[in-house]
Amino acid sequence: MTVAQLIVYLLLAAIVGLIAERLVGAGPWGIVGNIVVGLLGIWVMLNVLHWRLPGDLEIEGVPILTGILGAILVDLLLSLLLRGLGPRRAWRRR
């Protein structure tokens, strides 16, 4: 991977993460969080699930729509996990 490919990959991850955050409505994670969510989303869709949309537009080997779908998936999972780890209300006996 060249430096140019790495820069393009990180920029696309930031854009994909930002789009996912806006669609899901969770966050705000910030720019670093969007990059992490975008990178995780792209990685999950391409390397874990091995799934790509046919005819998807690719920039430097990164499929755009597939990355957006993966980032949405990761963003939803993170928001559900973080909501579940918040403070719990105590049960009251009546």
Side-chain angles (χ1 to χ4, degrees):
M1 176 179 277
T2 65
V3 174
Q5 287 175 329
L6 179 65
I7 291 171
V8 169
Y9 203 86
L10 290 174
L11 286 174
L12 287 176
I15 293 168
V16 163
L18 181 66
I19 290 171
E21 181 182 345
R22 298 294 180 215
L23 290 175
V24 172
W29 307 113
I31 189 67
V32 174
N34 285 335
I35 291 172
V36 170
V37 166
L39 287 172
L40 282 174
I42 293 168
W43 180 77
V44 164
M45 292 301 274
L46 296 180
N47 297 329
V48 175
L49 299 177
H50 303 288
W51 192 73
R52 285 184 184 222
L53 289 172
D56 195 1
L57 175 67
E58 290 186 8
I59 299 177
E60 293 293 329
V62 179
I64 304 301
L65 292 177
T66 304
I68 291 172
L69 290 175
I72 288 172
L73 178 71
V74 169
D75 204 2
L76 279 172
L77 289 174
L78 281 176
S79 64
L80 288 174
L81 283 174
L82 291 178
R83 286 183 194 153
L85 295 176
R88 305 223 183 251
R89 295 183 183 164
W91 289 92
R92 296 182 186 173
R93 291 186 181 188
R94 292 184 181 211

